[in-house]
Amino acid sequence: MTEYNEKVIIVEGLTDKRQIKKVIAENAEIICTNGTLGVEKFDELLYNYDLDNRDVYILVDEDSPGIRLRHQLSRELPHARHIFVSSDYREVATTPENILAAELAGSRIEVNPIFLI
């Protein structure tokens, strides 16, 4: 089995992944679901990324599809920690970097300190 980073952050899309990569300072793996997950796709992610044995963080949009995905992932990954963006921003990709950094840091994910000023 391939060695993985301890932490994995699950997001919906590539723009979310880009926004998070801007602010994190540690080598956490970021997985895009590209929307909702079918059983087969989820099982593939579970196996390929060894999600049962890693620190998993769920960071999805605060809209209907994101909330549905969060509920689905909560059932499948009960050990996952949830990170929320304000409903004022609705999307991870449009959340200001300093706000996103504060939320990530609050979940013990190392961020670049320039975003915490």
Side-chain angles (χ1 to χ4, degrees):
M1 180 179 280
T2 307
E3 287 296 314
Y4 292 107
N5 302 318
E6 185 177 329
K7 295 178 183 173
V8 60
I9 304 169
I10 299 176
V11 299
E12 289 178 80
L14 193 55
T15 56
D16 300 331
K17 181 176 181 175
R18 285 187 199 124
Q19 185 73 341
I20 293 167
K21 278 185 157 261
K22 287 181 194 176
V23 300
I24 64 172
E26 67 180 273
N27 197 20
E29 188 159 8
I30 304 170
I31 300 172
C32 297
T33 65
N34 299 309
T36 58
L37 291 172
V39 173
E40 191 173 304
K41 175 70 172 167
F42 177 77
D43 287 345
E44 182 181 308
L45 289 176
L46 187 67
Y47 176 76
N48 289 342
Y49 295 98
D50 195 24
L51 296 179
D52 282 333
N53 298 305
R54 296 175 71 188
D55 293 334
V56 178
Y57 298 83
I58 299 170
L59 178 54
V60 295
D61 297 343
E62 288 299 310
D63 57 10
S64 294
I67 292 168
R68 279 194 303 274
L69 179 59
R70 184 182 297 280
H71 288 300
Q72 178 186 10
L73 291 170
S74 294
R75 285 190 305 273
E76 302 294 339
L77 299 167
H79 69 286
R81 296 182 187 139
H82 295 269
I83 303 171
F84 296 88
V85 295
S86 170
S87 57
D88 293 341
Y89 307 113
R90 291 186 48 114
E91 297 179 4
V92 173
T94 59
T95 301
E97 293 158 348
N98 63 321
I99 302 293
L100 187 58
E103 292 299 324
L104 290 163
S107 293
R108 297 189 174 145
I109 295 174
E110 188 179 337
V111 297
N112 187 327
I114 65 166
F115 295 108
L116 296 175
I117 296 174

PDB file of all heavy atoms in Angstrom, residues 56-76:
ATOM      1  N   VAL A  56      -9.800  12.397   8.506  1.00  0.00           N
ATOM      2  CA  VAL A  56     -10.607  12.896   7.391  1.00  0.00           C
ATOM      3  C   VAL A  56     -11.348  14.153   7.837  1.00  0.00           C
ATOM      4  O   VAL A  56     -11.938  14.190   8.913  1.00  0.00           O
ATOM      5  CB  VAL A  56     -11.618  11.830   6.912  1.00  0.00           C
ATOM      6  CG1 VAL A  56     -12.492  12.375   5.793  1.00  0.00           C
ATOM      7  CG2 VAL A  56     -10.891  10.567   6.465  1.00  0.00           C
ATOM      8  N   TYR A  57     -11.299  15.159   6.966  1.00  0.00           N
ATOM      9  CA  TYR A  57     -12.008  16.419   7.183  1.00  0.00           C
ATOM     10  C   TYR A  57     -12.952  16.625   6.016  1.00  0.00           C
ATOM     11  O   TYR A  57     -12.573  16.423   4.858  1.00  0.00           O
ATOM     12  CB  TYR A  57     -11.020  17.587   7.261  1.00  0.00           C
ATOM     13  CG  TYR A  57     -10.059  17.463   8.408  1.00  0.00           C
ATOM     14  CD1 TYR A  57      -8.906  16.683   8.295  1.00  0.00           C
ATOM     15  CD2 TYR A  57     -10.308  18.106   9.614  1.00  0.00           C
ATOM     16  CE1 TYR A  57      -8.026  16.550   9.355  1.00  0.00           C
ATOM     17  CE2 TYR A  57      -9.424  17.981  10.675  1.00  0.00           C
ATOM     18  CZ  TYR A  57      -8.288  17.200  10.535  1.00  0.00           C
ATOM     19  OH  TYR A  57      -7.415  17.066  11.582  1.00  0.00           O
ATOM     20  N   ILE A  58     -14.171  17.036   6.309  1.00  0.00           N
ATOM     21  CA  ILE A  58     -15.165  17.293   5.270  1.00  0.00           C
ATOM     22  C   ILE A  58     -15.404  18.794   5.218  1.00  0.00           C
ATOM     23  O   ILE A  58     -15.781  19.407   6.217  1.00  0.00           O
ATOM     24  CB  ILE A  58     -16.479  16.543   5.565  1.00  0.00           C
ATOM     25  CG1 ILE A  58     -16.214  15.037   5.597  1.00  0.00           C
ATOM     26  CG2 ILE A  58     -17.542  16.903   4.536  1.00  0.00           C
ATOM     27  CD1 ILE A  58     -17.383  14.218   6.123  1.00  0.00           C
ATOM     28  N   LEU A  59     -15.176  19.378   4.053  1.00  0.00           N
ATOM     29  CA  LEU A  59     -15.348  20.815   3.852  1.00  0.00           C
ATOM     30  C   LEU A  59     -16.074  21.015   2.531  1.00  0.00           C
ATOM     31  O   LEU A  59     -15.475  20.951   1.458  1.00  0.00           O
ATOM     32  CB  LEU A  59     -13.988  21.521   3.839  1.00  0.00           C
ATOM     33  CG  LEU A  59     -13.966  23.019   3.591  1.00  0.00           C
ATOM     34  CD1 LEU A  59     -14.868  23.768   4.558  1.00  0.00           C
ATOM     35  CD2 LEU A  59     -12.547  23.545   3.684  1.00  0.00           C
ATOM     36  N   VAL A  60     -17.382  21.188   2.616  1.00  0.00           N
ATOM     37  CA  VAL A  60     -18.206  21.319   1.417  1.00  0.00           C
ATOM     38  C   VAL A  60     -19.018  22.608   1.485  1.00  0.00           C
ATOM     39  O   VAL A  60     -19.115  23.248   2.526  1.00  0.00           O
ATOM     40  CB  VAL A  60     -19.142  20.091   1.237  1.00  0.00           C
ATOM     41  CG1 VAL A  60     -18.333  18.827   0.992  1.00  0.00           C
ATOM     42  CG2 VAL A  60     -20.060  19.913   2.425  1.00  0.00           C
ATOM     43  N   ASP A  61     -19.599  22.972   0.355  1.00  0.00           N
ATOM     44  CA  ASP A  61     -20.388  24.196   0.255  1.00  0.00           C
ATOM     45  C   ASP A  61     -21.625  24.129   1.151  1.00  0.00           C
ATOM     46  O   ASP A  61     -22.148  23.055   1.433  1.00  0.00           O
ATOM     47  CB  ASP A  61     -20.825  24.425  -1.187  1.00  0.00           C
ATOM     48  CG  ASP A  61     -19.658  24.633  -2.132  1.00  0.00           C
ATOM     49  OD1 ASP A  61     -18.543  24.916  -1.665  1.00  0.00           O
ATOM     50  OD2 ASP A  61     -19.880  24.498  -3.358  1.00  0.00           O
ATOM     51  N   GLU A  62     -22.077  25.297   1.563  1.00  0.00           N
ATOM     52  CA  GLU A  62     -23.294  25.394   2.369  1.00  0.00           C
ATOM     53  C   GLU A  62     -24.502  25.658   1.477  1.00  0.00           C
ATOM     54  O   GLU A  62     -25.264  26.583   1.700  1.00  0.00           O
ATOM     55  CB  GLU A  62     -23.139  26.498   3.426  1.00  0.00           C
ATOM     56  CG  GLU A  62     -22.198  26.132   4.553  1.00  0.00           C
ATOM     57  CD  GLU A  62     -22.659  24.906   5.324  1.00  0.00           C
ATOM     58  OE1 GLU A  62     -23.824  24.841   5.729  1.00  0.00           O
ATOM     59  OE2 GLU A  62     -21.835  23.995   5.506  1.00  0.00           O
ATOM     60  N   ASP A  63     -24.655  24.827   0.459  1.00  0.00           N
ATOM     61  CA  ASP A  63     -25.841  24.870  -0.397  1.00  0.00           C
ATOM     62  C   ASP A  63     -26.468  23.484  -0.378  1.00  0.00           C
ATOM     63  O   ASP A  63     -25.942  22.565   0.268  1.00  0.00           O
ATOM     64  CB  ASP A  63     -25.488  25.325  -1.818  1.00  0.00           C
ATOM     65  CG  ASP A  63     -24.439  24.460  -2.488  1.00  0.00           C
ATOM     66  OD1 ASP A  63     -24.081  23.383  -1.958  1.00  0.00           O
ATOM     67  OD2 ASP A  63     -23.961  24.851  -3.562  1.00  0.00           O
ATOM     68  N   SER A  64     -27.581  23.298  -1.051  1.00  0.00           N
ATOM     69  CA  SER A  64     -28.289  22.010  -0.995  1.00  0.00           C
ATOM     70  C   SER A  64     -27.424  20.822  -1.399  1.00  0.00           C
ATOM     71  O   SER A  64     -27.373  19.823  -0.675  1.00  0.00           O
ATOM     72  CB  SER A  64     -29.554  22.051  -1.856  1.00  0.00           C
ATOM     73  OG  SER A  64     -30.458  22.959  -1.297  1.00  0.00           O
ATOM     74  N   PRO A  65     -26.714  20.878  -2.546  1.00  0.00           N
ATOM     75  CA  PRO A  65     -25.876  19.726  -2.902  1.00  0.00           C
ATOM     76  C   PRO A  65     -24.763  19.469  -1.882  1.00  0.00           C
ATOM     77  O   PRO A  65     -24.460  18.317  -1.555  1.00  0.00           O
ATOM     78  CB  PRO A  65     -25.285  20.106  -4.266  1.00  0.00           C
ATOM     79  CG  PRO A  65     -26.201  21.140  -4.813  1.00  0.00           C
ATOM     80  CD  PRO A  65     -26.742  21.868  -3.628  1.00  0.00           C
ATOM     81  N   GLY A  66     -24.168  20.528  -1.356  1.00  0.00           N
ATOM     82  CA  GLY A  66     -23.110  20.371  -0.367  1.00  0.00           C
ATOM     83  C   GLY A  66     -23.618  19.760   0.929  1.00  0.00           C
ATOM     84  O   GLY A  66     -22.970  18.890   1.517  1.00  0.00           O
ATOM     85  N   ILE A  67     -24.786  20.198   1.353  1.00  0.00           N
ATOM     86  CA  ILE A  67     -25.375  19.663   2.583  1.00  0.00           C
ATOM     87  C   ILE A  67     -25.735  18.188   2.405  1.00  0.00           C
ATOM     88  O   ILE A  67     -25.494  17.372   3.297  1.00  0.00           O
ATOM     89  CB  ILE A  67     -26.588  20.514   3.012  1.00  0.00           C
ATOM     90  CG1 ILE A  67     -26.093  21.902   3.450  1.00  0.00           C
ATOM     91  CG2 ILE A  67     -27.378  19.832   4.117  1.00  0.00           C
ATOM     92  CD1 ILE A  67     -27.176  22.942   3.621  1.00  0.00           C
ATOM     93  N   ARG A  68     -26.275  17.828   1.250  1.00  0.00           N
ATOM     94  CA  ARG A  68     -26.574  16.407   0.972  1.00  0.00           C
ATOM     95  C   ARG A  68     -25.296  15.580   0.995  1.00  0.00           C
ATOM     96  O   ARG A  68     -25.264  14.480   1.561  1.00  0.00           O
ATOM     97  CB  ARG A  68     -27.279  16.252  -0.380  1.00  0.00           C
ATOM     98  CG  ARG A  68     -28.764  16.535  -0.326  1.00  0.00           C
ATOM     99  CD  ARG A  68     -29.476  16.062  -1.570  1.00  0.00           C
ATOM    100  NE  ARG A  68     -28.960  16.623  -2.806  1.00  0.00           N
ATOM    101  CZ  ARG A  68     -29.323  17.785  -3.335  1.00  0.00           C
ATOM    102  NH1 ARG A  68     -30.242  18.512  -2.752  1.00  0.00           N
ATOM    103  NH2 ARG A  68     -28.796  18.203  -4.459  1.00  0.00           N
ATOM    104  N   LEU A  69     -24.231  16.088   0.364  1.00  0.00           N
ATOM    105  CA  LEU A  69     -22.962  15.374   0.345  1.00  0.00           C
ATOM    106  C   LEU A  69     -22.401  15.231   1.765  1.00  0.00           C
ATOM    107  O   LEU A  69     -21.909  14.170   2.146  1.00  0.00           O
ATOM    108  CB  LEU A  69     -21.956  16.088  -0.558  1.00  0.00           C
ATOM    109  CG  LEU A  69     -20.575  15.458  -0.662  1.00  0.00           C
ATOM    110  CD1 LEU A  69     -20.664  14.030  -1.195  1.00  0.00           C
ATOM    111  CD2 LEU A  69     -19.678  16.304  -1.556  1.00  0.00           C
ATOM    112  N   ARG A  70     -22.493  16.285   2.559  1.00  0.00           N
ATOM    113  CA  ARG A  70     -22.016  16.231   3.949  1.00  0.00           C
ATOM    114  C   ARG A  70     -22.750  15.130   4.724  1.00  0.00           C
ATOM    115  O   ARG A  70     -22.140  14.343   5.446  1.00  0.00           O
ATOM    116  CB  ARG A  70     -22.199  17.580   4.638  1.00  0.00           C
ATOM    117  CG  ARG A  70     -21.640  17.604   6.053  1.00  0.00           C
ATOM    118  CD  ARG A  70     -21.866  18.947   6.735  1.00  0.00           C
ATOM    119  NE  ARG A  70     -21.188  20.042   6.080  1.00  0.00           N
ATOM    120  CZ  ARG A  70     -19.909  20.341   6.216  1.00  0.00           C
ATOM    121  NH1 ARG A  70     -19.133  19.594   6.969  1.00  0.00           N
ATOM    122  NH2 ARG A  70     -19.387  21.390   5.602  1.00  0.00           N
ATOM    123  N   HIS A  71     -24.073  15.052   4.555  1.00  0.00           N
ATOM    124  CA  HIS A  71     -24.848  14.015   5.243  1.00  0.00           C
ATOM    125  C   HIS A  71     -24.432  12.616   4.788  1.00  0.00           C
ATOM    126  O   HIS A  71     -24.284  11.708   5.611  1.00  0.00           O
ATOM    127  CB  HIS A  71     -26.346  14.222   5.029  1.00  0.00           C
ATOM    128  CG  HIS A  71     -26.902  15.383   5.772  1.00  0.00           C
ATOM    129  ND1 HIS A  71     -26.871  15.503   7.142  1.00  0.00           N
ATOM    130  CD2 HIS A  71     -27.508  16.507   5.325  1.00  0.00           C
ATOM    131  CE1 HIS A  71     -27.432  16.631   7.508  1.00  0.00           C
ATOM    132  NE2 HIS A  71     -27.818  17.272   6.426  1.00  0.00           N
ATOM    133  N   GLN A  72     -24.238  12.460   3.495  1.00  0.00           N
ATOM    134  CA  GLN A  72     -23.818  11.166   2.956  1.00  0.00           C
ATOM    135  C   GLN A  72     -22.453  10.770   3.516  1.00  0.00           C
ATOM    136  O   GLN A  72     -22.258   9.646   3.981  1.00  0.00           O
ATOM    137  CB  GLN A  72     -23.761  11.220   1.428  1.00  0.00           C
ATOM    138  CG  GLN A  72     -23.297   9.936   0.798  1.00  0.00           C
ATOM    139  CD  GLN A  72     -23.117  10.051  -0.709  1.00  0.00           C
ATOM    140  OE1 GLN A  72     -23.154  11.151  -1.277  1.00  0.00           O
ATOM    141  NE2 GLN A  72     -22.928   8.925  -1.358  1.00  0.00           N
ATOM    142  N   LEU A  73     -21.518  11.696   3.495  1.00  0.00           N
ATOM    143  CA  LEU A  73     -20.177  11.408   4.002  1.00  0.00           C
ATOM    144  C   LEU A  73     -20.193  11.161   5.506  1.00  0.00           C
ATOM    145  O   LEU A  73     -19.426  10.336   6.014  1.00  0.00           O
ATOM    146  CB  LEU A  73     -19.222  12.543   3.650  1.00  0.00           C
ATOM    147  CG  LEU A  73     -18.892  12.681   2.160  1.00  0.00           C
ATOM    148  CD1 LEU A  73     -18.148  13.978   1.897  1.00  0.00           C
ATOM    149  CD2 LEU A  73     -18.095  11.482   1.662  1.00  0.00           C
ATOM    150  N   SER A  74     -21.064  11.851   6.226  1.00  0.00           N
ATOM    151  CA  SER A  74     -21.182  11.644   7.670  1.00  0.00           C
ATOM    152  C   SER A  74     -21.602  10.217   7.998  1.00  0.00           C
ATOM    153  O   SER A  74     -21.090   9.617   8.949  1.00  0.00           O
ATOM    154  CB  SER A  74     -22.218  12.594   8.275  1.00  0.00           C
ATOM    155  OG  SER A  74     -21.789  13.913   8.176  1.00  0.00           O
ATOM    156  N   ARG A  75     -22.525   9.694   7.215  1.00  0.00           N
ATOM    157  CA  ARG A  75     -22.968   8.311   7.430  1.00  0.00           C
ATOM    158  C   ARG A  75     -21.850   7.315   7.137  1.00  0.00           C
ATOM    159  O   ARG A  75     -21.670   6.337   7.854  1.00  0.00           O
ATOM    160  CB  ARG A  75     -24.176   7.991   6.547  1.00  0.00           C
ATOM    161  CG  ARG A  75     -25.475   8.603   7.008  1.00  0.00           C
ATOM    162  CD  ARG A  75     -26.661   8.061   6.228  1.00  0.00           C
ATOM    163  NE  ARG A  75     -26.528   8.199   4.788  1.00  0.00           N
ATOM    164  CZ  ARG A  75     -26.883   9.266   4.082  1.00  0.00           C
ATOM    165  NH1 ARG A  75     -27.414  10.300   4.692  1.00  0.00           N
ATOM    166  NH2 ARG A  75     -26.733   9.296   2.773  1.00  0.00           N
ATOM    167  N   GLU A  76     -21.116   7.560   6.069  1.00  0.00           N
ATOM    168  CA  GLU A  76     -20.090   6.626   5.620  1.00  0.00           C
ATOM    169  C   GLU A  76     -18.774   6.768   6.377  1.00  0.00           C
ATOM    170  O   GLU A  76     -18.013   5.805   6.481  1.00  0.00           O
ATOM    171  CB  GLU A  76     -19.838   6.808   4.125  1.00  0.00           C
ATOM    172  CG  GLU A  76     -21.061   6.615   3.246  1.00  0.00           C
ATOM    173  CD  GLU A  76     -21.590   5.190   3.253  1.00  0.00           C
ATOM    174  OE1 GLU A  76     -20.845   4.246   3.592  1.00  0.00           O
ATOM    175  OE2 GLU A  76     -22.779   5.009   2.925  1.00  0.00           O
TER     176      GLU A  76
END
